[in-house]
PDB file of all heavy atoms in Angstrom:
ATOM      1  N   THR A  81      -1.964  24.203 -44.187  1.00  0.00           N
ATOM      2  CA  THR A  81      -2.865  23.266 -43.471  1.00  0.00           C
ATOM      3  C   THR A  81      -2.143  22.243 -42.579  1.00  0.00           C
ATOM      4  O   THR A  81      -2.596  21.916 -41.502  1.00  0.00           O
ATOM      5  CB  THR A  81      -3.711  22.486 -44.485  1.00  0.00           C
ATOM      6  OG1 THR A  81      -4.384  23.415 -45.335  1.00  0.00           O
ATOM      7  CG2 THR A  81      -4.778  21.594 -43.789  1.00  0.00           C
ATOM      8  N   TYR A  82      -0.994  21.749 -43.090  1.00  0.00           N
ATOM      9  CA  TYR A  82      -0.359  20.634 -42.473  1.00  0.00           C
ATOM     10  C   TYR A  82       0.889  20.959 -41.673  1.00  0.00           C
ATOM     11  O   TYR A  82       1.555  21.996 -41.921  1.00  0.00           O
ATOM     12  CB  TYR A  82       0.026  19.529 -43.491  1.00  0.00           C
ATOM     13  CG  TYR A  82      -1.193  18.980 -44.149  1.00  0.00           C
ATOM     14  CD1 TYR A  82      -1.639  19.471 -45.406  1.00  0.00           C
ATOM     15  CD2 TYR A  82      -1.893  17.856 -43.589  1.00  0.00           C
ATOM     16  CE1 TYR A  82      -2.725  18.890 -45.992  1.00  0.00           C
ATOM     17  CE2 TYR A  82      -2.990  17.323 -44.220  1.00  0.00           C
ATOM     18  CZ  TYR A  82      -3.444  17.845 -45.438  1.00  0.00           C
ATOM     19  OH  TYR A  82      -4.546  17.306 -46.005  1.00  0.00           O
ATOM     20  N   ALA A  83       1.247  20.130 -40.711  1.00  0.00           N
ATOM     21  CA  ALA A  83       2.430  20.306 -39.926  1.00  0.00           C
ATOM     22  C   ALA A  83       3.685  20.147 -40.775  1.00  0.00           C
ATOM     23  O   ALA A  83       3.673  19.359 -41.772  1.00  0.00           O
ATOM     24  CB  ALA A  83       2.506  19.280 -38.722  1.00  0.00           C
ATOM     25  N   ALA A  84       4.758  20.800 -40.426  1.00  0.00           N
ATOM     26  CA  ALA A  84       5.993  20.732 -41.178  1.00  0.00           C
ATOM     27  C   ALA A  84       6.484  19.274 -41.257  1.00  0.00           C
ATOM     28  O   ALA A  84       7.001  18.857 -42.342  1.00  0.00           O
ATOM     29  CB  ALA A  84       7.062  21.609 -40.556  1.00  0.00           C
ATOM     30  N   SER A  85       6.396  18.515 -40.211  1.00  0.00           N
ATOM     31  CA  SER A  85       6.891  17.133 -40.237  1.00  0.00           C
ATOM     32  C   SER A  85       6.112  16.267 -41.235  1.00  0.00           C
ATOM     33  O   SER A  85       6.710  15.425 -41.905  1.00  0.00           O
ATOM     34  CB  SER A  85       6.762  16.540 -38.828  1.00  0.00           C
ATOM     35  OG  SER A  85       5.413  16.583 -38.364  1.00  0.00           O
ATOM     36  N   THR A  86       4.852  16.543 -41.343  1.00  0.00           N
ATOM     37  CA  THR A  86       3.990  15.810 -42.292  1.00  0.00           C
ATOM     38  C   THR A  86       4.398  16.137 -43.729  1.00  0.00           C
ATOM     39  O   THR A  86       4.529  15.243 -44.568  1.00  0.00           O
ATOM     40  CB  THR A  86       2.492  16.142 -42.111  1.00  0.00           C
ATOM     41  OG1 THR A  86       2.103  15.727 -40.779  1.00  0.00           O
ATOM     42  CG2 THR A  86       1.598  15.402 -43.151  1.00  0.00           C
ATOM     43  N   ILE A  87       4.627  17.381 -43.972  1.00  0.00           N
ATOM     44  CA  ILE A  87       4.984  17.828 -45.358  1.00  0.00           C
ATOM     45  C   ILE A  87       6.318  17.280 -45.706  1.00  0.00           C
ATOM     46  O   ILE A  87       6.597  16.773 -46.856  1.00  0.00           O
ATOM     47  CB  ILE A  87       5.002  19.318 -45.458  1.00  0.00           C
ATOM     48  CG1 ILE A  87       3.637  19.888 -45.141  1.00  0.00           C
ATOM     49  CG2 ILE A  87       5.535  19.839 -46.773  1.00  0.00           C
ATOM     50  CD1 ILE A  87       3.529  21.395 -45.052  1.00  0.00           C
ATOM     51  N   ARG A  88       7.321  17.339 -44.787  1.00  0.00           N
ATOM     52  CA  ARG A  88       8.681  16.752 -45.089  1.00  0.00           C
ATOM     53  C   ARG A  88       8.607  15.252 -45.385  1.00  0.00           C
ATOM     54  O   ARG A  88       9.278  14.781 -46.234  1.00  0.00           O
ATOM     55  CB  ARG A  88       9.603  17.039 -43.909  1.00  0.00           C
ATOM     56  CG  ARG A  88      10.004  18.490 -43.839  1.00  0.00           C
ATOM     57  CD  ARG A  88      11.139  18.696 -42.807  1.00  0.00           C
ATOM     58  NE  ARG A  88      11.535  20.107 -42.723  1.00  0.00           N
ATOM     59  CZ  ARG A  88      12.353  20.670 -43.592  1.00  0.00           C
ATOM     60  NH1 ARG A  88      12.857  19.944 -44.576  1.00  0.00           N
ATOM     61  NH2 ARG A  88      12.647  21.971 -43.502  1.00  0.00           N
ATOM     62  N   ARG A  89       7.743  14.560 -44.575  1.00  0.00           N
ATOM     63  CA  ARG A  89       7.586  13.098 -44.871  1.00  0.00           C
ATOM     64  C   ARG A  89       7.022  12.848 -46.264  1.00  0.00           C
ATOM     65  O   ARG A  89       7.486  11.977 -46.964  1.00  0.00           O
ATOM     66  CB  ARG A  89       6.700  12.499 -43.797  1.00  0.00           C
ATOM     67  CG  ARG A  89       6.643  10.947 -43.836  1.00  0.00           C
ATOM     68  CD  ARG A  89       5.438  10.401 -43.079  1.00  0.00           C
ATOM     69  NE  ARG A  89       4.211  10.729 -43.837  1.00  0.00           N
ATOM     70  CZ  ARG A  89       3.144  11.135 -43.249  1.00  0.00           C
ATOM     71  NH1 ARG A  89       3.053  11.276 -41.903  1.00  0.00           N
ATOM     72  NH2 ARG A  89       2.050  11.413 -43.986  1.00  0.00           N
ATOM     73  N   ARG A  90       6.065  13.661 -46.625  1.00  0.00           N
ATOM     74  CA  ARG A  90       5.462  13.474 -47.981  1.00  0.00           C
ATOM     75  C   ARG A  90       6.450  13.784 -49.052  1.00  0.00           C
ATOM     76  O   ARG A  90       6.504  13.039 -50.060  1.00  0.00           O
ATOM     77  CB  ARG A  90       4.161  14.375 -48.098  1.00  0.00           C
ATOM     78  CG  ARG A  90       2.990  13.837 -47.328  1.00  0.00           C
ATOM     79  CD  ARG A  90       1.826  14.760 -47.353  1.00  0.00           C
ATOM     80  NE  ARG A  90       0.664  14.177 -46.682  1.00  0.00           N
ATOM     81  CZ  ARG A  90      -0.406  14.836 -46.354  1.00  0.00           C
ATOM     82  NH1 ARG A  90      -0.513  16.191 -46.584  1.00  0.00           N
ATOM     83  NH2 ARG A  90      -1.408  14.241 -45.725  1.00  0.00           N
ATOM     84  N   ILE A  91       7.175  14.815 -48.865  1.00  0.00           N
ATOM     85  CA  ILE A  91       8.224  15.196 -49.866  1.00  0.00           C
ATOM     86  C   ILE A  91       9.220  14.062 -49.970  1.00  0.00           C
ATOM     87  O   ILE A  91       9.686  13.670 -51.103  1.00  0.00           O
ATOM     88  CB  ILE A  91       8.849  16.475 -49.508  1.00  0.00           C
ATOM     89  CG1 ILE A  91       7.824  17.627 -49.582  1.00  0.00           C
ATOM     90  CG2 ILE A  91      10.033  16.795 -50.473  1.00  0.00           C
ATOM     91  CD1 ILE A  91       7.175  17.808 -50.939  1.00  0.00           C
ATOM     92  N   SER A  92       9.640  13.501 -48.864  1.00  0.00           N
ATOM     93  CA  SER A  92      10.582  12.389 -48.874  1.00  0.00           C
ATOM     94  C   SER A  92      10.010  11.188 -49.652  1.00  0.00           C
ATOM     95  O   SER A  92      10.741  10.500 -50.327  1.00  0.00           O
ATOM     96  CB  SER A  92      10.912  12.001 -47.395  1.00  0.00           C
ATOM     97  OG  SER A  92      11.818  10.885 -47.392  1.00  0.00           O
ATOM     98  N   SER A  93       8.701  10.879 -49.442  1.00  0.00           N
ATOM     99  CA  SER A  93       8.074   9.788 -50.114  1.00  0.00           C
ATOM    100  C   SER A  93       8.109  10.014 -51.604  1.00  0.00           C
ATOM    101  O   SER A  93       8.401   9.065 -52.423  1.00  0.00           O
ATOM    102  CB  SER A  93       6.683   9.574 -49.667  1.00  0.00           C
ATOM    103  OG  SER A  93       6.651   9.275 -48.237  1.00  0.00           O
ATOM    104  N   ILE A  94       7.782  11.170 -52.020  1.00  0.00           N
ATOM    105  CA  ILE A  94       7.754  11.487 -53.457  1.00  0.00           C
ATOM    106  C   ILE A  94       9.103  11.370 -54.070  1.00  0.00           C
ATOM    107  O   ILE A  94       9.331  10.811 -55.132  1.00  0.00           O
ATOM    108  CB  ILE A  94       7.236  12.981 -53.708  1.00  0.00           C
ATOM    109  CG1 ILE A  94       5.764  13.047 -53.230  1.00  0.00           C
ATOM    110  CG2 ILE A  94       7.311  13.408 -55.163  1.00  0.00           C
ATOM    111  CD1 ILE A  94       5.243  14.443 -53.003  1.00  0.00           C
ATOM    112  N   ALA A  95      10.129  11.861 -53.325  1.00  0.00           N
ATOM    113  CA  ALA A  95      11.538  11.724 -53.783  1.00  0.00           C
ATOM    114  C   ALA A  95      11.905  10.275 -53.953  1.00  0.00           C
ATOM    115  O   ALA A  95      12.629   9.831 -54.880  1.00  0.00           O
ATOM    116  CB  ALA A  95      12.458  12.459 -52.864  1.00  0.00           C
ATOM    117  N   HIS A  96      11.519   9.443 -52.944  1.00  0.00           N
ATOM    118  CA  HIS A  96      11.853   8.030 -52.938  1.00  0.00           C
ATOM    119  C   HIS A  96      11.311   7.276 -54.223  1.00  0.00           C
ATOM    120  O   HIS A  96      12.022   6.501 -54.849  1.00  0.00           O
ATOM    121  CB  HIS A  96      11.334   7.370 -51.708  1.00  0.00           C
ATOM    122  CG  HIS A  96      11.789   5.860 -51.581  1.00  0.00           C
ATOM    123  ND1 HIS A  96      12.741   5.512 -50.794  1.00  0.00           N
ATOM    124  CD2 HIS A  96      11.250   4.797 -52.191  1.00  0.00           C
ATOM    125  CE1 HIS A  96      12.892   4.192 -50.886  1.00  0.00           C
ATOM    126  NE2 HIS A  96      12.002   3.764 -51.762  1.00  0.00           N
ATOM    127  N   ILE A  97      10.058   7.606 -54.603  1.00  0.00           N
ATOM    128  CA  ILE A  97       9.459   7.000 -55.755  1.00  0.00           C
ATOM    129  C   ILE A  97      10.167   7.430 -57.031  1.00  0.00           C
ATOM    130  O   ILE A  97      10.298   6.652 -57.952  1.00  0.00           O
ATOM    131  CB  ILE A  97       7.956   7.291 -55.787  1.00  0.00           C
ATOM    132  CG1 ILE A  97       7.333   6.703 -54.512  1.00  0.00           C
ATOM    133  CG2 ILE A  97       7.339   6.737 -56.982  1.00  0.00           C
ATOM    134  CD1 ILE A  97       7.722   5.241 -54.227  1.00  0.00           C
ATOM    135  N   HIS A  98      10.581   8.689 -57.076  1.00  0.00           N
ATOM    136  CA  HIS A  98      11.331   9.129 -58.256  1.00  0.00           C
ATOM    137  C   HIS A  98      12.604   8.432 -58.381  1.00  0.00           C
ATOM    138  O   HIS A  98      13.002   7.958 -59.463  1.00  0.00           O
ATOM    139  CB  HIS A  98      11.584  10.622 -58.154  1.00  0.00           C
ATOM    140  CG  HIS A  98      10.438  11.434 -58.668  1.00  0.00           C
ATOM    141  ND1 HIS A  98       9.257  11.569 -57.945  1.00  0.00           N
ATOM    142  CD2 HIS A  98      10.260  12.218 -59.754  1.00  0.00           C
ATOM    143  CE1 HIS A  98       8.396  12.368 -58.625  1.00  0.00           C
ATOM    144  NE2 HIS A  98       8.973  12.720 -59.702  1.00  0.00           N
ATOM    145  N   ARG A  99      13.293   8.144 -57.252  1.00  0.00           N
ATOM    146  CA  ARG A  99      14.546   7.385 -57.313  1.00  0.00           C
ATOM    147  C   ARG A  99      14.251   5.957 -57.718  1.00  0.00           C
ATOM    148  O   ARG A  99      14.989   5.306 -58.444  1.00  0.00           O
ATOM    149  CB  ARG A  99      15.273   7.430 -55.961  1.00  0.00           C
ATOM    150  CG  ARG A  99      15.779   8.833 -55.609  1.00  0.00           C
ATOM    151  CD  ARG A  99      16.756   8.739 -54.466  1.00  0.00           C
ATOM    152  NE  ARG A  99      16.141   8.235 -53.212  1.00  0.00           N
ATOM    153  CZ  ARG A  99      15.515   9.019 -52.341  1.00  0.00           C
ATOM    154  NH1 ARG A  99      15.473  10.377 -52.549  1.00  0.00           N
ATOM    155  NH2 ARG A  99      14.979   8.473 -51.272  1.00  0.00           N
ATOM    156  N   ALA A 100      13.128   5.364 -57.191  1.00  0.00           N
ATOM    157  CA  ALA A 100      12.741   3.989 -57.522  1.00  0.00           C
ATOM    158  C   ALA A 100      12.499   3.862 -59.022  1.00  0.00           C
ATOM    159  O   ALA A 100      12.810   2.818 -59.607  1.00  0.00           O
ATOM    160  CB  ALA A 100      11.561   3.564 -56.733  1.00  0.00           C
ATOM    161  N   ALA A 101      11.947   4.909 -59.630  1.00  0.00           N
ATOM    162  CA  ALA A 101      11.621   4.853 -61.046  1.00  0.00           C
ATOM    163  C   ALA A 101      12.800   5.339 -61.912  1.00  0.00           C
ATOM    164  O   ALA A 101      12.678   5.504 -63.099  1.00  0.00           O
ATOM    165  CB  ALA A 101      10.424   5.754 -61.387  1.00  0.00           C
ATOM    166  N   GLN A 102      13.967   5.532 -61.238  1.00  0.00           N
ATOM    167  CA  GLN A 102      15.189   5.993 -61.923  1.00  0.00           C
ATOM    168  C   GLN A 102      15.007   7.391 -62.580  1.00  0.00           C
ATOM    169  O   GLN A 102      15.497   7.584 -63.696  1.00  0.00           O
ATOM    170  CB  GLN A 102      15.639   4.932 -62.991  1.00  0.00           C
ATOM    171  CG  GLN A 102      15.905   3.604 -62.328  1.00  0.00           C
ATOM    172  CD  GLN A 102      16.280   2.521 -63.316  1.00  0.00           C
ATOM    173  OE1 GLN A 102      16.853   2.858 -64.380  1.00  0.00           O
ATOM    174  NE2 GLN A 102      15.914   1.314 -63.039  1.00  0.00           N
ATOM    175  N   LEU A 103      14.304   8.195 -61.866  1.00  0.00           N
ATOM    176  CA  LEU A 103      14.116   9.592 -62.372  1.00  0.00           C
ATOM    177  C   LEU A 103      14.883  10.567 -61.455  1.00  0.00           C
ATOM    178  O   LEU A 103      15.349  10.178 -60.374  1.00  0.00           O
ATOM    179  CB  LEU A 103      12.557   9.946 -62.243  1.00  0.00           C
ATOM    180  CG  LEU A 103      11.684   9.120 -63.165  1.00  0.00           C
ATOM    181  CD1 LEU A 103      10.226   9.414 -62.799  1.00  0.00           C
ATOM    182  CD2 LEU A 103      11.921   9.381 -64.646  1.00  0.00           C
ATOM    183  N   THR A 104      15.031  11.773 -61.952  1.00  0.00           N
ATOM    184  CA  THR A 104      15.800  12.755 -61.210  1.00  0.00           C
ATOM    185  C   THR A 104      15.018  13.133 -59.856  1.00  0.00           C
ATOM    186  O   THR A 104      13.835  13.308 -59.940  1.00  0.00           O
ATOM    187  CB  THR A 104      15.954  14.074 -62.012  1.00  0.00           C
ATOM    188  OG1 THR A 104      16.642  13.708 -63.226  1.00  0.00           O
ATOM    189  CG2 THR A 104      16.746  15.092 -61.239  1.00  0.00           C
TER     190      THR A 104
END
Side-chain angles (χ1 to χ4, degrees):
T81 307
Y82 296 95
S85 58
T86 300
I87 298 171
R88 288 190 178 279
R89 190 200 66 222
R90 287 176 175 167
I91 296 302
S92 177
S93 297
I94 295 166
H96 184 100
I97 298 310
H98 277 71
R99 294 193 297 271
Q102 300 175 33
L103 298 170
T104 302

